[in-house]
Amino acid sequence: MAAVRALRSWSGTAGRLISVHRTRSCISVHFIVSKYMSIFHKSASKFSHQHRLFRTSAISKGQIVQFKLSDIGEGITEVTVKEWYVKEGDSVSQFDSICEVQSDKASVTITSRYDGIIRKLHYNLDEIAYVGKPLVDIETDALKAVASEEDVVETPAVSHEEQTHQEIKGHKTLATPAVRRLAMENNIKLSEVVGTGKDNRILKEDILKYLAKQTGAILPPSPKPEIIPPLPKSEAVPGTPKDKGIKIPIPISKPVMFSGKDKTEALTGFHKAMVKTMTAALKIPHFGYCDEIDLTQLVQLREELKPLAQARGVKLSFMPFFIKAASLGLLHYPILNASVDENCQSITYKASHNIGIAMDTEQGLIVPNVKNVQVCSMFEIASELNRLQTLGSAAQLGTNDLTGGTFTLSNIGTIGGTYAKPVILPPEVAIGALGKIQVLPRFNDKGEVFKAQIMNVSWSADHRIIDGATMAQFSNLWKSYLENPASMVLDLK
């Protein structure tokens, strides 16, 4: 009995101990849980605050984003809106063309950074748009954290990884928005693709070839340009007169409207650029030199080469010969391919022969240039001229095409006239104007009269650094190359 009593007493004591331990354990657990719940709530509150901050930096659903005109380079602060590719209510995707703007240097296509709906156009056609100001308002449905609300000028944003990779390689990737979109859709880094276009520009074919190498796919062969055989000499082109004597001027198709009222409009685009350039040119003392060139042999050579160039899909004019001959002459007289600083204290001799060609377009006078003529073949120059003329006619020349010139030729003869007084384009120091080619009687060494193909040339040079003898010697060398085209072969590189 005593044993039973002792057992019960021990059980009660043990139970109390267990109860106390359990109570203490519950208190400890409750304290621990309370402590960590407090920490969790604080952390959650902290993360919730961060999340709210993150959400404020992102674009929420249905938010209106002001699409601003970013800096397009060359110190341009304002542009003229020439064409809208969208209207209010249109849906756009990233890299879609928004509008075309024209500065005093070039026409540029602005592309979108966002996916969304156009809600407002801030400018009408031919109005002035300013860098840093809103261009359009876009309502976007996508939730994307965008670093900066800037538009894309033929160069969409790239990831940090790709941007770093491109910086390491040390070059700027050139590609159109369509090519960039194709690369983005296939997760291809443009920095890893070798461009085969001009200035290593990446083409659509380059992306497809790269994709084929990665996937092992077989691509169809690229279409080759259609080779158009030249017409036989006996076959006359329909609609062309056989007699090349007197040419009757074609009347202007647009009727002349007489309103009887004066009209005042602001200078914009290329006209505004011309005012700036010609005002600077007035500070240059011009020295003039004129001569005539017998192109009889060159005319014959071109007739022989035209079918070969046409077979390659390139139109061969006289300009590639004029340009290449000028480049060969500049190798002997590099001061004509130089520039002088504003205070006329130093001369910079240009390594590249970027020879500009003056073009008359509906937008006004423009002077695109053929880059690195000193290392180009005659065919390459002709091909590049075809490209510049096509883009110039469509008002689609880029800033790169219109800047960086070192020497200029103006073929005024395509319009008419023999002699001119060309004005130097600063910071260049020389320019040449080419007259029309005429069939004129001339005497040979025996005193016999023969029919010659004569072209007149007029040079202007900056007389502060170029003397008359240098200009005359260059002109004589250029003349010798054109009068004896075979002699150019000796100096071609």
Side-chain angles (χ1 to χ4, degrees), residues 236-258:
V237 181
T240 58
K242 295 181 180 179
D243 186 12
K244 294 184 180 180
I246 301 175
K247 293 184 179 180
I248 302 176
I250 300 174
I252 300 174
S253 57
K254 295 181 181 179
V256 179
M257 302 298 294
F258 179 73

Side-chain angles (χ1 to χ4, degrees), residues 49-308:
H49 178 65
Q50 289 181 350
H51 181 65
R52 286 194 297 271
L53 290 176
F54 172 77
R55 288 179 64 86
T56 56
S57 64
I59 300 173
S60 60
K61 183 177 181 180
Q63 183 173 344
I64 301 295
V65 176
Q66 287 194 329
F67 184 94
K68 296 179 181 178
L69 177 63
S70 65
D71 186 6
I72 59 179
E74 298 293 329
I76 296 169
T77 59
E78 61 182 37
V79 294
T80 303
V81 179
K82 301 304 295 183
E83 184 176 1
W84 284 107
Y85 298 121
V86 295
K87 61 181 182 298
E88 294 181 1
D90 284 356
S91 297
V92 294
S93 302
Q94 292 185 47
F95 315 134
D96 281 352
S97 296
I98 294 292
C99 65
E100 180 180 339
V101 299
Q102 181 180 344
S103 68
D104 58 354
K105 297 182 183 294
S107 296
V108 180
T109 299
I110 305 296
T111 56
S112 175
R113 180 184 289 271
Y114 310 112
D115 297 333
I117 301 173
I118 302 295
R119 289 306 181 194
K120 181 180 179 181
L121 305 181
H122 285 267
Y123 301 97
N124 296 321
L125 290 179
D126 296 325
E127 286 188 346
I128 303 297
Y130 297 93
V131 171
K133 301 296 182 181
L135 194 62
V136 297
D137 290 349
I138 301 178
E139 179 182 347
T140 178
D141 296 328
L143 183 63
K144 296 181 180 178
V146 181
S148 61
E149 298 177 1
E150 295 180 353
D151 56 293
V152 183
V153 183
E154 296 289 339
T155 309
V158 295
S159 64
H160 176 73
E161 180 184 356
E162 181 175 352
Q163 186 176 3
T164 304
H165 186 71
Q166 290 182 5
E167 289 176 356
I168 292 174
K169 293 192 73 174
H171 72 278
K172 181 181 179 182
T173 304
L174 299 177
T176 62
V179 172
R180 291 181 182 274
R181 180 183 296 178
L182 179 63
M184 182 180 63
E185 291 173 351
N186 292 278
N187 295 321
I188 297 175
K189 293 180 180 179
L190 290 177
S191 55
E192 297 178 354
V193 181
V194 178
T196 60
K198 180 176 175 58
D199 296 329
N200 298 322
R201 182 179 293 273
I202 297 176
L203 308 177
K204 179 181 178 182
E205 291 77 10
D206 300 328
I207 298 294
L208 296 178
K209 288 179 182 178
Y210 180 87
L211 188 62
K213 289 180 181 179
Q214 299 297 318
T215 61
I218 300 176
L219 297 176
S222 300
K224 296 182 179 179
E226 183 181 357
I227 298 177
I228 304 174
L231 293 173
K233 293 184 179 180
S234 59
E235 242 180 85
V237 181
T240 58
K242 295 181 180 179
D243 186 12
K244 294 184 180 180
I246 301 175
K247 293 184 179 180
I248 302 176
I250 300 174
I252 300 174
S253 57
K254 295 181 181 179
V256 179
M257 302 298 294
F258 179 73
S259 62
K261 296 181 180 179
D262 297 339
K263 183 175 69 171
T264 302
E265 58 183 22
L267 289 172
T268 59
F270 296 126
H271 291 106
K272 190 173 183 179
M274 186 184 297
V275 172
K276 182 179 178 181
T277 304
M278 293 299 101
T279 302
L282 283 175
K283 302 176 182 178
I284 301 174
H286 284 55
F287 164 76
Y289 179 83
C290 302
D291 201 355
E292 71 172 31
I293 320 293
D294 184 357
L295 299 180
T296 304
Q297 292 187 36
L298 182 60
V299 170
Q300 295 174 356
L301 177 62
R302 174 176 171 266
E303 287 300 320
E304 295 174 3
L305 297 179
K306 276 177 63 177
L308 299 177

